[in-house]
Amino acid sequence: MSIAFGNPDRPNSYIGKTVPRPNAEKLVQGRGRYVDDITLPRMVHVAFVRAPLAHARIIGIDAEAARAVKGVLRVFTGADLAEVCTPWVGVLAHLKGLKSPPQHALAVDRACWVGEPVVAVVATTRAAAEEAATLVEVDYDPLPAVTDTMTALDADTPVIHPDLGDNLAFRRLHEEGDVDAALANAHKVVSARFRTARHTGVTLEPRSILVDWNPAEGQMTAYHATQAPHMMQTVLATHLGIPESRVRVICGDVGGSYGIKVHVYPDEVATAAISRVMARPVKFVADRLESFTSDIHARDHEIEARIAVAEDGKILAIDVDDWTGIGPYSVYPRTSAIEGNQVVNLCGGPYDFANYRAQTTVVFQNKAPTCQYRAVGHPIAVAITEGLVDMAAAAIGMDPVEIRRRNMYADDAYPVTSPAKMRFEGLSHHASMNKLMEMIDYDALRADQEEARKQGKHRGIGIASFIELTNPSPFMYGIGGARISAQDGCTVRMDPDGSVVALSGVTEQGQGTEAMLSQVVAEGVGVTPDKVRIITGDTQVTPYGGGTWASRGAGIGGEAALQAARALRGSILEVAASMLQADAAKLDIRAGQVVDADSGEERMPLEELGRIVYFRGDTLPKDLPRELVQTRHFITMDYPFAFTNGVQASYLEVDTDTGVVTLLKHWCVEDCGRVINPQLVDEQIRGGIVQGLGGALYEEIHYDEDGQLLNGSMADYLVPMAGEMPDMQIGHVETPTGESELGAKGAGEAGTAGAPAAVMNAINDALRPLGAQVTEMPFTPERILRALGKIDD
Amino acid sequence: MTKVFSDKVDIALTVNGEPVEGRVPAGQHLVDFLRQTLGLTGAHASCEHGVCGACTLRVDGQAVRGCLMLAAQADGAEVWTVEGLTEQGSSRDLQQAFVARNALQCGFCTPGMIVAVEDLLARGGVPSRAEIREHLSGNYCRCTGYEAIVDAVEGVAQARAGKGAA
């Protein structure tokens, strides 16, 4: 029996409704349990001595003064930890040619970026460990630092890792059709150079891990702020030589992730290795400077791109040359080539065109490593694509909405394969654009813009269509050899009191996983959501799964939960049919009661069924199955990824005297398939938009030419605060995926994917009458004034 | 340390209405004393230089950064944390509004946000959305995009003003 999603009055209709998050109340009361809130007996603290130079040979380490500090127990060097922890290499087989050198928990003989951990100091208090760390003297022999992406492959640039031959980590060229012919024969060709700044996640909870190796049990327990507990279980077991079954990763409350907490960090592995050596709990919580120097960075891309259009606005070709610098190592195990690869996969995404060429060049440099961060590659690809489309529209004198309508895939065209060879099951670009036009009242907004211009105010409207990659299959990582599960599982059981417990392999990072699972399970079984308890984030307890990344929690984990819940419902009804001498097919479960499906008449509460099964099983027929626990796993099979689509609009005002951009309002229409919880989806999109707005206007990690980080604090790396952010209106079109009964796709990254392009287009819409254009993010007052020719020094 | 300069300081203060005494390292921040010594883990240490607001506490009636104040400076002070506000029930409506409006995601900023909002609402009246945004500009939230927080605060301000008038 399938769920009649189209009928909002169906019984147990929790899927599609806003239900409260079961775990929100504890967080507003300050009763969350983040890693730093946990204290274990005999726990010690580790602080790291980090490289002050971007590239240097380590000549000697003198820790005598550090050891003399009261409370200091041990000091570990890279050589010490290399005896108990094997190095790792961040490559994947399907990213052909990707190379990276072995990386150790602590640098052994060479430091390759400012902030790389070199020495670990363990003490009874964090304060003592930090104080002692400042007293460790490391003798460095400076080596030349490579910091510029575009010259990293030049013959006179030093090679960071001589064993690898050059500074090229990865290069991929994709060509479809005849780009050169299309460019040569087009009505108009528009070129632009785009730049997206180096960002970092700035999770409010810094990276945190508390590892407890108990040799008496032969078990390691890691309390870890992570998105992927099972992946970390494998990583710690593999590199510390412990059987995978003897590593338990527990992930409680996590204070923000956004992709930052899905990677393997040397200081975190070092913490586990130190616990293995000292046989006692060791805690590491990064401080804010450590966050800026050692959390992964992302989005540091420079792009030359061209678009060719016909007189009628049809896109004839897109040609993209993308370069990115990833730091000295490809990050393990997901690799640092994925972002560039995504740019190749996603450019031109919404549009039906024939000739496409894109190349990404991924180079090593002596800066913090980059890796996957919310909306991996999307903000870059959308900025390139939507920037070019707007410039083309201006060049041929066409309205930016009209040129998009002439090129977007028709809503009845699916399934289709894009020129980037991405397969789309079903998208709704036109329906989404139509909905956006209603929401923003486009004509009225243009009239307001016109009126403002008469008063000397420079307002702009920016539109950005986009696609978003969600629900990844093993094509993302598994086929490359990484032990990262694309499948996810859920166990659902009914306890004697008729309540339901669901254990899931996806994790909660604040996005509302537990609420989503509770309502899916509630509807699937036939109880109210408050009767469902959700357990996530414990590798010893939950089914094996991938965790939370690439917007997979609802689409993959939700479907596993639905199937497990439906199976439990079947088990319950089989027992109920026997007890009631009825036909199971004519019974239903509604709000915790077994009822006649036709009349709705209550026949038996679940707690009565639970009492009989658990305590008076003797009264049931001997051969009657009574397994009130069911587990199901789900993996997508038909498509490598479930693409979603959407379109955003930004309305803003540029002060041409100061260069300051004021965001007036922002809109997003998104199609993430079946919406399970409207409020949670909207808030994911709002939060994502603001992260994208940060990239558009404020966020930029600065290094000098020697590889020194210049803005490693929250006072210097600007992030969006409440005062500058606009209100945002969110709308939906729903095109469920046919891969699952639930039909849900991901919604976590759409906001971040499209917001920077919408803002860029809005600024350029405002500046176009003044003959100015910006394409280098963030769009700071300085860059806008330079574009206007008001600063030229 | 010489005999003249002790690195430990004796303090006596009130935390969430309960008397507390402690002998604290001279350099220990108030938020670390609350978290590590008293087990009050509601206030969070995040930027540790007064920018993000996750450690916001109420000290002698003022919203204060727990990472910018030394525990030694709190001698004689009256300190309230989110745990105390919860037990006292004075922020119940605000906490309920945060849950109902989903004005939190990861929740790491929320305890500091609650204290900061109470600081604004204590001034009375119904602040405009712009005033709410301005007041919360010292409290960083990476998850929500702020709009849900502004909605929740606006609703509570209106409800409290309504009650006061009635």
Side-chain angles (χ1 to χ4, degrees), chain A residues 679 682-683 686 722 726-730, chain B residues 93-94 96-104 117 121 126-130 132-133 136 144-159:
Chain A
Q679 184 188 57
D682 285 0
E683 295 315 316
R686 284 199 176 92
D727 281 342
M728 295 158 273
Q729 193 181 347
I730 314 299
Chain B
D93 54 348
L94 184 60
Q96 284 173 333
F98 265 59
V99 172
R101 183 57 191 85
N102 199 42
L104 69 152
V117 171
L121 296 182
V126 179
S128 68
R129 291 179 73 81
I132 295 168
R133 286 184 176 278
L136 293 179
T144 64
Y146 302 105
E147 185 170 334
I149 296 171
V150 176
D151 289 346
V153 174
E154 189 179 34
V156 170
Q158 287 165 349

Coordinates of all heavy atoms in Angstrom, one line a residue, chain A residues 679 682-683 686 722 726-730, chain B residues 93-94 96-104 117 121 126-130 132-133 136 144-159:
Chain A
Q679 N 8.7 24.0 7.0 CA 9.5 25.0 7.7 C 10.9 24.7 7.7 O 11.8 25.6 7.5 CB 9.0 25.1 9.2 CG 9.7 26.1 10.0 CD 9.3 26.1 11.5 OE1 9.5 25.0 12.1 NE2 8.8 27.1 12.0
D682 N 12.4 25.5 4.3 CA 12.6 27.0 4.1 C 13.7 27.5 4.9 O 14.5 28.4 4.4 CB 11.3 27.7 4.5 CG 10.2 27.5 3.5 OD1 10.4 26.9 2.4 OD2 9.1 28.1 3.7
E683 N 13.9 27.0 6.1 CA 15.0 27.5 6.9 C 16.4 27.0 6.4 O 17.4 27.7 6.5 CB 14.8 27.2 8.4 CG 13.6 27.9 9.0 CD 13.4 29.3 8.6 OE1 14.5 30.1 8.6 OE2 12.3 29.8 8.2
R686 N 16.9 29.5 3.6 CA 17.3 30.8 4.1 C 18.8 30.8 4.6 O 19.6 31.7 4.3 CB 16.4 31.3 5.2 CG 15.0 31.7 4.7 CD 14.3 32.5 5.7 NE 13.0 33.0 5.1 CZ 11.9 32.4 5.2 NH1 11.8 31.3 5.9 NH2 10.8 32.9 4.6
A722 N 23.3 39.9 11.5 CA 21.8 40.1 11.4 C 21.5 41.5 10.7 O 20.6 41.6 10.0 CB 21.2 40.0 12.8
P726 N 18.9 40.6 4.5 CA 17.6 40.9 4.1 C 16.6 39.8 4.6 O 17.0 38.7 5.0 CB 17.6 40.9 2.6 CG 18.6 39.8 2.3 CD 19.6 39.8 3.4
D727 N 15.3 40.2 4.5 CA 14.3 39.1 4.6 C 14.2 38.4 3.3 O 14.5 39.0 2.2 CB 12.9 39.8 4.9 CG 12.8 40.1 6.4 OD1 13.6 39.6 7.2 OD2 11.9 40.9 6.8
M728 N 13.9 37.1 3.4 CA 13.9 36.3 2.2 C 12.6 35.5 2.0 O 12.0 35.0 3.0 CB 15.0 35.2 2.4 CG 16.4 35.8 2.4 SD 17.6 34.7 3.2 CE 17.4 35.1 5.0
Q729 N 12.1 35.6 0.8 CA 10.8 34.9 0.6 C 11.1 33.6 -0.2 O 11.8 33.6 -1.2 CB 9.9 35.8 -0.2 CG 8.4 35.3 -0.3 CD 7.5 36.1 -1.1 OE1 7.9 37.3 -1.4 NE2 6.4 35.6 -1.4
I730 N 10.6 32.5 0.3 CA 10.9 31.2 -0.3 C 9.6 30.6 -0.9 O 8.5 30.6 -0.3 CB 11.4 30.2 0.8 CG1 12.5 30.9 1.6 CG2 11.9 28.9 0.1 CD1 13.7 31.4 0.9
Chain B
D93 N 8.7 32.1 27.2 CA 8.0 32.4 25.9 C 9.0 32.6 24.8 O 8.7 32.2 23.7 CB 7.1 33.7 26.1 CG 8.0 34.9 26.7 OD1 9.1 34.7 27.1 OD2 7.5 36.0 26.7
L94 N 10.1 33.2 25.1 CA 11.1 33.4 24.1 C 11.7 32.0 23.6 O 11.8 31.8 22.4 CB 12.3 34.2 24.6 CG 13.4 34.6 23.6 CD1 12.8 35.4 22.5 CD2 14.4 35.5 24.4
Q96 N 10.1 29.1 23.7 CA 9.1 28.5 23.0 C 9.0 29.1 21.6 O 8.8 28.3 20.6 CB 7.7 28.6 23.7 CG 7.7 27.6 24.9 CD 6.4 27.9 25.7 OE1 5.9 29.0 25.8 NE2 6.0 26.8 26.4
A97 N 9.1 30.4 21.5 CA 9.0 31.0 20.1 C 10.2 30.6 19.3 O 10.0 30.4 18.1 CB 9.0 32.5 20.3
F98 N 11.4 30.4 19.9 CA 12.5 30.0 19.1 C 12.3 28.5 18.5 O 12.6 28.3 17.4 CB 13.8 29.9 19.9 CG 14.7 31.2 19.8 CD1 14.1 32.4 20.1 CD2 16.0 31.1 19.3 CE1 14.9 33.6 19.9 CE2 16.8 32.2 19.2 CZ 16.2 33.5 19.5
V99 N 11.7 27.7 19.3 CA 11.4 26.3 18.9 C 10.3 26.4 17.8 O 10.4 25.7 16.8 CB 11.0 25.4 20.1 CG1 10.5 24.1 19.5 CG2 12.1 25.2 21.0
A100 N 9.2 27.1 18.1 CA 8.1 27.1 17.1 C 8.5 27.7 15.8 O 8.1 27.2 14.7 CB 6.9 27.9 17.7
R101 N 9.3 28.7 15.8 CA 9.7 29.4 14.5 C 11.0 28.7 13.9 O 11.4 29.1 12.9 CB 9.9 30.9 14.8 CG 10.3 31.7 13.6 CD 9.2 31.6 12.5 NE 9.7 32.3 11.3 CZ 10.4 31.6 10.4 NH1 10.8 30.4 10.6 NH2 10.8 32.3 9.3
N102 N 11.5 27.7 14.6 CA 12.8 27.1 14.2 C 13.9 28.2 14.0 O 14.6 28.3 13.0 CB 12.6 26.3 12.9 CG 13.8 25.3 12.7 OD1 14.2 24.7 13.7 ND2 14.4 25.2 11.5
A103 N 14.0 29.0 15.1 CA 14.9 30.1 15.1 C 16.3 29.6 15.5 O 17.1 30.4 16.0 CB 14.4 31.2 15.9
L104 N 16.5 28.3 15.4 CA 17.8 27.8 15.7 C 18.0 26.6 14.8 O 17.0 25.9 14.5 CB 17.9 27.3 17.2 CG 17.1 26.1 17.6 CD1 17.7 25.4 18.7 CD2 15.7 26.5 17.9
V117 N 18.8 38.7 23.4 CA 17.5 39.2 23.1 C 16.8 39.7 24.4 O 16.1 40.8 24.3 CB 16.6 38.0 22.5 CG1 15.2 38.4 22.4 CG2 17.2 37.6 21.2
L121 N 14.8 43.2 25.0 CA 13.3 43.2 25.4 C 13.2 43.9 26.7 O 12.1 44.4 27.0 CB 12.8 41.8 25.4 CG 12.7 41.1 24.0 CD1 12.1 39.7 24.1 CD2 12.0 42.0 23.0
V126 N 8.0 47.6 21.6 CA 8.2 46.6 20.5 C 9.2 47.1 19.5 O 8.9 48.1 18.8 CB 6.8 46.3 19.8 CG1 7.0 45.3 18.7 CG2 5.8 45.8 20.8
P127 N 10.4 46.6 19.6 CA 11.4 47.1 18.6 C 11.1 46.7 17.2 O 10.4 45.7 16.9 CB 12.7 46.3 19.0 CG 12.2 45.1 19.8 CD 10.9 45.5 20.4
S128 N 11.5 47.6 16.2 CA 11.3 47.3 14.8 C 12.2 46.1 14.4 O 13.1 45.8 15.1 CB 11.6 48.5 14.0 OG 13.0 48.8 14.0
R129 N 11.9 45.5 13.2 CA 12.8 44.5 12.8 C 14.2 45.0 12.6 O 15.2 44.3 12.9 CB 12.2 43.9 11.4 CG 10.9 43.1 11.6 CD 10.4 42.6 10.3 NE 11.2 41.5 9.8 CZ 11.0 40.2 10.2 NH1 10.1 39.9 11.1 NH2 11.7 39.2 9.6
A130 N 14.3 46.2 12.1 CA 15.7 46.8 11.9 C 16.4 46.9 13.3 O 17.6 46.7 13.4 CB 15.6 48.1 11.2
I132 N 15.8 45.1 15.9 CA 16.1 43.7 16.4 C 17.4 43.3 15.7 O 18.4 42.8 16.3 CB 15.0 42.7 16.1 CG1 13.8 43.1 16.9 CG2 15.4 41.3 16.4 CD1 12.5 42.4 16.5
R133 N 17.5 43.5 14.4 CA 18.7 43.1 13.6 C 19.9 43.8 14.1 O 21.0 43.2 14.3 CB 18.4 43.3 12.1 CG 17.5 42.3 11.5 CD 17.4 42.6 10.0 NE 16.6 41.6 9.3 CZ 17.0 40.4 8.9 NH1 18.2 40.0 9.1 NH2 16.2 39.5 8.3
L136 N 21.1 42.4 17.5 CA 21.6 41.1 17.4 C 22.9 41.1 16.5 O 23.4 40.0 16.3 CB 20.6 40.1 17.0 CG 19.4 39.9 17.9 CD1 18.5 38.9 17.4 CD2 20.0 39.4 19.3
T144 N 21.0 29.9 10.5 CA 19.6 30.3 10.2 C 19.4 31.4 9.1 O 18.4 31.5 8.5 CB 18.8 30.8 11.4 OG1 19.5 32.0 11.9 CG2 18.9 29.8 12.5
G145 N 20.4 32.2 8.9 CA 20.2 33.4 8.1 C 19.5 34.5 8.8 O 19.2 35.6 8.2
Y146 N 19.3 34.3 10.1 CA 18.7 35.4 11.1 C 17.2 35.7 11.0 O 16.6 36.1 11.9 CB 19.5 36.7 10.9 CG 21.0 36.6 11.2 CD1 21.9 36.6 10.1 CD2 21.5 36.4 12.5 CE1 23.3 36.5 10.4 CE2 22.9 36.3 12.7 CZ 23.7 36.3 11.6 OH 25.1 36.2 11.9
E147 N 16.6 35.4 9.8 CA 15.2 35.9 9.7 C 14.3 35.2 10.7 O 13.4 35.9 11.3 CB 14.7 35.6 8.2 CG 13.4 36.2 8.0 CD 13.0 36.1 6.5 OE1 13.9 36.1 5.6 OE2 11.8 36.0 6.2
A148 N 14.5 33.9 10.9 CA 13.6 33.2 11.8 C 13.8 33.8 13.3 O 12.9 33.8 14.0 CB 13.9 31.7 11.8
I149 N 15.1 34.1 13.6 CA 15.3 34.7 14.9 C 14.6 36.0 15.0 O 14.0 36.3 16.1 CB 16.9 34.9 15.1 CG1 17.5 33.5 15.1 CG2 17.2 35.6 16.4 CD1 19.1 33.6 15.1
V150 N 14.7 36.9 14.0 CA 14.0 38.2 14.0 C 12.5 38.0 14.2 O 11.9 38.6 15.0 CB 14.4 39.0 12.8 CG1 13.6 40.3 12.8 CG2 15.9 39.3 12.7
D151 N 12.0 37.0 13.4 CA 10.5 36.7 13.6 C 10.2 36.3 15.0 O 9.2 36.8 15.5 CB 10.2 35.5 12.6 CG 10.2 35.9 11.2 OD1 10.2 37.1 10.9 OD2 10.1 35.0 10.3
A152 N 11.0 35.4 15.6 CA 10.6 34.9 16.9 C 10.7 36.1 17.9 O 9.8 36.2 18.8 CB 11.6 33.8 17.3
V153 N 11.7 36.9 17.8 CA 11.9 38.0 18.8 C 10.8 39.0 18.6 O 10.2 39.5 19.6 CB 13.3 38.7 18.6 CG1 13.4 40.0 19.4 CG2 14.4 37.7 18.9
E154 N 10.4 39.3 17.3 CA 9.3 40.3 17.1 C 8.0 39.8 17.7 O 7.3 40.5 18.3 CB 9.2 40.4 15.6 CG 8.3 41.5 15.1 CD 8.2 41.7 13.6 OE1 8.3 40.6 12.9 OE2 8.1 42.8 13.1
G155 N 7.7 38.5 17.5 CA 6.5 37.9 18.0 C 6.5 38.0 19.6 O 5.4 38.4 20.1
V156 N 7.6 37.7 20.2 CA 7.6 37.7 21.7 C 7.5 39.2 22.2 O 6.8 39.5 23.1 CB 8.9 37.0 22.2 CG1 9.0 37.3 23.7 CG2 8.8 35.6 21.9
A157 N 8.1 40.1 21.5 CA 8.1 41.5 21.9 C 6.6 42.0 21.8 O 6.1 42.7 22.7 CB 9.0 42.4 21.0
Q158 N 5.9 41.6 20.7 CA 4.5 42.0 20.6 C 3.7 41.4 21.7 O 2.8 42.0 22.3 CB 4.0 41.6 19.2 CG 4.6 42.5 18.1 CD 4.4 42.0 16.7 OE1 4.0 40.8 16.5 NE2 4.7 42.8 15.7
A159 N 3.9 40.1 21.9 CA 3.1 39.4 22.9 C 3.3 40.0 24.3 O 2.4 40.2 25.1 CB 3.4 37.9 22.9

